[in-house]
């Protein structure tokens, strides 16, 4: 069983959006997937309540309860556990990172988000858990070119002790629309650009976890 936690001390970077989409993508790849919502805001749990399908399975609990949740999940035959975490709580984030095989740190490519990422990369580096930064809500690529803002963000992020995933997610309305009735973008618009980006992200991350 593999455990991947989405962690960023800053709010609104895309932790819940990525957790939901990676969980659905892992499930579509044929795995038994548990999505764990450790955020008291309960956004992933609310998404799951709105969802028609029963998979991926979901459980809610505190970050400090994650190790116990993982023991039970291993006993229930899950292949992948994807953990959504709360912003602003280093104690809860640390508890999740500690028992994960890898951590994904989502960030927007904007300067205020990039400035804040050092707190999260330091927390994860202390624990020696493999981590990757994923750029989220980026301006979409034009033809083969990555937009300047994204290229600049990649450059700025070389200062931190975690590699940046080559796949970025763009700012796309599909990410907001799909979540309204408990779907992921691939279930909302299977041939859409957002779905293709999520698929590429899952493939890139699954290789390194
Ligand atoms: N790639 C994207 N394209 C469009 N909208 C996005 C994208 N990623 C996130 N959003 C939107 O940005 C907002 C914040 O995203 P999300 O809730 O996933 O962040 P978060 O890190 O979980 O926030 P919090 O720290 O509050 O838990 C949401 O309204 C979400 O729909
Ligand atoms: Mg969230």
């Amino acid at each position: 069983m593999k455990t991947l936690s989405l962690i960023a001390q800053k709010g609104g970077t895309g932790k819940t959006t990525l957790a939901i989409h990676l969980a659905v993508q892992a499930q579509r790849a044929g795995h038994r997937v548990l999505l764990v919502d450790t955020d008291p805001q309960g956004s992933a749990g609310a998404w799951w309540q709105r969802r028609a399908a029963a998979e991926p399975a979901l459980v809610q609990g505190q970050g400090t309860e994650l190790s116990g949740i993982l023991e039970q999940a291993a006993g229930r035959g899950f292949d992948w556990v994807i953990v959504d975490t709360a912003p602003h709580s280093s104690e809860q984030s640390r508890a999740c990172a500690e028992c994960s095989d890898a951590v994904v740190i989502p960030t927007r490519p904007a300067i205020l988000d990039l400035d804040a990422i050092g707190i999260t990369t330091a927390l994860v580096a202390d624990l020696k858990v493999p981590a990757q930064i994923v750029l989220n809500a980026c301006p979409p690529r034009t033809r083969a070119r990555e937009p300047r803002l994204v290229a600049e963000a990649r450059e700025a992020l070389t200062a931190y002790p975690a590699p940046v995933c080559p796949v970025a997610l763009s700012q796309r309305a599909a990410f907001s629309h799909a979540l309204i009735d408990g779907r992921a973008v691939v279930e909302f618009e299977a041939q859409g650009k957002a779905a293709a980006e999520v698929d590429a992200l899952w493939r890139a991350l699954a290789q390194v976890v």
Side-chain angles (χ1 to χ4, degrees):
M1 186 178 82
K2 291 182 173 177
T3 304
L4 178 68
S5 287
L6 284 294
I7 294 180
Q9 291 295 291
K10 190 162 193 328
T13 62
K15 295 177 286 298
T16 303
T17 301
L18 267 73
I20 284 171
H21 282 91
L22 292 172
V24 170
Q25 208 63 29
Q27 179 217 323
R28 292 173 67 90
H31 300 297
R32 290 197 63 197
V33 183
L34 178 65
L35 176 58
V36 183
D37 184 0
T38 67
D39 185 351
Q41 291 179 109
S43 312
W47 168 82
W48 194 81
Q49 290 294 338
R50 295 193 296 272
R51 182 169 173 78
E55 276 94 33
L58 179 127
V59 65
Q60 289 177 285
Q62 294 196 23
T64 46
E65 294 166 344
L66 183 61
S67 60
I69 291 171
L70 292 179
E71 265 176 44
Q72 289 188 4
R76 288 170 60 197
F78 286 105
D79 306 308
W80 276 87
V81 181
I82 310 288
V83 185
D84 186 22
T85 69
H88 313 308
S89 170
S90 50
E91 185 202 350
Q92 296 291 328
S93 301
R94 189 170 289 115
C96 291
E98 258 167 4
C99 48
S100 295
D101 296 298
V103 164
V104 163
I105 306 171
T107 180
R108 290 171 181 260
I111 188 68
L112 297 180
D113 293 79
L114 299 174
D115 284 347
I117 205 166
I119 301 167
T120 309
T121 53
L123 183 150
V124 175
D126 272 358
L127 298 170
K128 300 190 168 51
V129 184
Q132 280 217 23
I133 297 169
V134 172
L135 286 159
N136 178 39
C138 298
R141 294 178 81 103
T142 47
R143 286 182 234 110
R145 268 251 171 104
E146 204 161 48
R148 191 166 153 202
L149 187 71
V150 182
E152 285 172 356
R154 286 192 188 282
E155 176 63 31
L157 287 167
T158 58
Y160 298 98
V164 183
C165 182
V167 181
L169 295 188
S170 303
Q171 170 84 33
R172 297 190 189 278
F175 283 106
S176 305
H177 288 307
L179 300 189
I180 291 170
D181 60 359
R183 286 184 285 174
V185 288
V186 68
E187 298 161 331
F188 170 76
E189 203 173 38
Q191 304 304 322
K193 291 178 178 167
E197 288 177 357
V198 169
D199 183 51
L201 179 64
W202 161 251
R203 286 167 192 276
L205 294 175
Q207 269 181 15
V208 294
V209 180

